[in-house]
Amino acid sequence: MLVPMCMLTVNLGLFWEEVTSLFAESVGAIVRELSLKKAADGLYGPCMAAFERAIIERVPLVDLVVEVRDARIPLTSAFEPLRRLACSHKQMIVLNKVDLADRSLTEMWLRHFKMHNFICYGVNSHNKDSINELLRVVRARIKKLKGDDRSYTSTILLVGIPNVGKSAMVNSMHQIGRTGAEVKGKLRHATVSSQPGETKDIISYKIGSHPNIYVLDTPGVLSGEIGVDDLGSKLALSGAIDDSLVGEVDLARYFLSVLNSKEEYKRWENLKADADDAVISTSEFNQGRRRQYPSDHTQDFIVRDVRRTLFRCISSNSVNLENENTMRILIENQLTALHEPLRLPKEPCEDSYKAVASKLLNLFRTGRLGRYTFDILPGITNDPILS
């Protein structure tokens, strides 16, 4: 009996989602074990506990608390210590990295938070216009809290989990604020890194004059205990946890399971195969490119080759709904096939897979492999943050 294509598509989608959750559980289990370790090599060691206490102590002393979240995980990236404090009247939620998240879902999340009486705004911390608009919103909020007197000095506390983009946001706000000031102070730079945990202290930056406004950049703090695998896997995939603690290859496998189950890769079907159509052979093409760009996997032509390789692997995979081995075999084929477009030697060893995984995760986290939102809107699932 023939199976209707619509039923096959639905069943396949459910199958992929189920298998994706298996990869998420594998990563989440590692994160859960790390969260239970209270030593320095755990997620919540003595330093992070000290950071959390220092941040909590400052909440009553500031005029506005700006909680920065990752737009790809608006619930999972919530700053847990704020839930224990009665400061909602001076709290604002900023969804950063909107350029990496699904646009329509970001809009839905913003409406969701506003429906729950949160002041919420979406930004790209590397976009000047976006930060200018955020500063306008912040100034308006402070004016409402302080009144019309422009002689006051106001302080904003920026809080969030690691690697959510607080320092990049501070740098942009400080640079814009300094440009508009009558008296130019010294331009300072908060440390920005793709690795979590680079901010080690609470530092003040001036972002406005008349009235004077200062923002406090704070270290990222994770929850003391991550008991749900799904939360841990999404935190790890977004970059809130050092990849080396979780394992780059495991994270790459998890990301590929997500990519394979989404629709994003279908957009790569019609990529112009200039290299295929050209007279120049693939080996000559690669050789010339290696001389010019020996290791830069972010070049457009390399990103294009990566996308085409991933698309070909998925498209050539035969439909088999018998068990999860289909996804596992596909992912292993993808990791092997990516050596060539990433200009890496095809050595069958863990180090070669680690190199592929590191570059793949970087391309994902910089938006070169599509825009993804991993948190499901409340109403579809339980809302652990706003409940």
Side-chain angles (χ1 to χ4, degrees), residues 47-61 157 201-202 216 218-219 221:
C47 287
M48 191 165 288
F51 292 154
E52 181 177 330
R53 288 193 299 271
I55 292 170
I56 291 175
E57 289 172 358
R58 282 166 173 80
V59 169
L61 307 177
L157 186 66
D201 201 357
I202 299 177
L216 301 179
T218 64
V221 173

Side-chain angles (χ1 to χ4, degrees), residues 15-256:
F15 169 73
W16 286 141
E17 291 295 337
E18 181 179 347
V19 176
T20 296
S21 69
L22 296 177
F23 287 89
E25 289 172 4
S26 176
V27 171
I30 298 173
V31 175
R32 185 176 66 249
E33 290 299 317
L34 289 169
S35 72
L36 295 175
K37 297 173 67 174
K38 304 304 179 185
D41 58 345
L43 295 184
Y44 193 80
C47 287
M48 191 165 288
F51 292 154
E52 181 177 330
R53 288 193 299 271
I55 292 170
I56 291 175
E57 289 172 358
R58 282 166 173 80
V59 169
L61 307 177
V62 301
D63 300 297
L64 183 64
V65 178
V66 175
E67 180 191 4
V68 184
R69 299 191 188 185
D70 190 323
R72 297 168 297 178
I73 47 174
L75 289 184
T76 304
S77 59
F79 187 69
E80 288 292 326
L82 286 184
R83 297 183 64 190
R84 304 192 294 269
L85 303 173
C87 63
S88 59
H89 65 288
K90 62 176 183 180
Q91 182 183 349
M92 177 178 174
I93 296 176
V94 172
L95 300 184
N96 190 26
K97 305 185 181 182
V98 294
D99 54 311
L100 305 180
D102 182 283
R103 291 184 181 89
S104 60
L105 288 177
T106 297
E107 290 299 322
M108 294 171 69
W109 274 113
L110 290 171
R111 290 197 298 269
H112 167 78
F113 286 120
K114 291 173 183 176
M115 285 174 58
H116 286 78
N117 299 319
F118 281 89
I119 300 172
C120 188
Y121 194 75
V123 302
N124 171 4
S125 60
H126 299 287
N127 182 281
K128 184 177 179 180
D129 291 336
S130 182
I131 294 299
N132 261 322
E133 182 62 19
L134 174 63
L135 281 172
R136 185 192 65 77
V137 173
V138 166
R139 292 189 185 107
R141 182 59 182 165
I142 291 176
K143 182 178 179 180
K144 185 174 181 179
L145 293 171
K146 286 285 194 177
D148 294 330
D149 182 12
R150 297 174 60 85
S151 63
Y152 61 81
T153 295
S154 187
T155 305
I156 301 167
L157 186 66
L158 219 61
V159 301
I161 65 172
N163 210 17
V164 79
K166 298 185 300 298
S167 295
M169 191 177 299
V170 163
N171 284 337
S172 297
M173 295 170 75
H174 175 52
Q175 187 172 23
I176 292 172
R178 178 179 177 272
T179 301
E182 294 180 3
V183 179
K184 312 293 184 184
K186 182 179 179 181
L187 182 63
R188 305 165 66 188
H189 293 280
T191 302
V192 177
S193 172
S194 60
Q195 298 299 317
E198 289 299 316
T199 302
K200 304 294 186 183
D201 201 357
I202 299 177
I203 305 175
S204 173
Y205 298 83
K206 189 173 184 179
I207 64 170
S209 301
H210 304 296
N212 292 323
I213 304 175
Y214 294 85
V215 62
L216 301 179
D217 186 24
T218 64
V221 173
L222 284 172
S223 174
E225 185 172 323
I226 302 172
V228 182
D229 288 346
D230 188 47
L231 298 181
S233 60
K234 287 185 284 190
L235 287 170
L237 189 57
S238 69
I241 300 169
D242 194 320
D243 290 347
S244 63
L245 295 176
V246 181
E248 292 91 341
V249 179
D250 284 336
L251 279 173
R253 290 190 176 109
Y254 173 34
F255 167 65
L256 286 173

